[in-house]
Amino acid sequence: MSEVSTHVLDTSRGEPAAGVAVRLERQGSAGSWQDFGTDVTGADGRARGFPAPLAGIYRLTFDTSGYFEDLGVKTFFPVVVVCFRVSATRLRYHVPLLVSPFGYTTYRGS
């Protein structure tokens, strides 16, 4: 069974980013986006509460502004959006996000 998950790590603090709101959307016809699920990262920085994806193009939207505001830190990137393609619905799609107030990076994890 396919799965979409993410793990958010705050590289400025060297620890998991708990409490980050994450939205998963699937691209529909004519470029519109359909809500596919939401979750909030736990104490370990992980979000796993998304339904099994169908083939298609997806995007994860991370509310980094809310996370950093709760810490009393200003951030340059208030939202991080990561688009990716699900081609085989039997695979796991893990998309980690490394974030700091002034930068971020992502990759396909396992």
Side-chain angles (χ1 to χ4, degrees):
M1 170 78 66
S2 186
E3 172 187 13
V4 172
S5 63
T6 188
H7 187 191
V8 184
L9 299 169
D10 182 339
T11 58
S12 66
R13 299 175 67 211
E15 51 188 61
V20 177
V22 185
R23 174 178 306 281
L24 177 65
E25 296 170 290
R26 183 173 188 257
Q27 190 175 46
S29 60
S32 64
W33 292 94
Q34 292 131 9
D35 194 19
F36 210 74
T38 58
D39 201 357
V40 176
T41 58
D44 62 356
R46 296 181 185 274
R48 301 178 186 90
F50 302 113
L54 309 167
I57 297 176
Y58 289 80
R59 71 181 177 191
L60 284 166
T61 302
F62 299 85
D63 178 15
T64 52
S65 177
Y67 168 74
F68 284 114
E69 281 178 13
D70 287 348
L71 295 174
V73 175
K74 292 182 182 179
T75 181
F76 184 72
F77 297 103
V79 176
V80 173
V81 179
V82 179
C83 291
F84 60 97
R85 182 183 309 274
V86 169
S87 54
T89 57
R90 68 187 186 289
L91 299 177
R92 181 171 183 234
Y93 294 88
H94 184 63
V95 184
L97 177 69
L98 307 176
V99 67
S100 75
F102 299 100
Y104 66 90
T105 190
T106 188
Y107 57 95
R108 179 164 182 196
S110 59

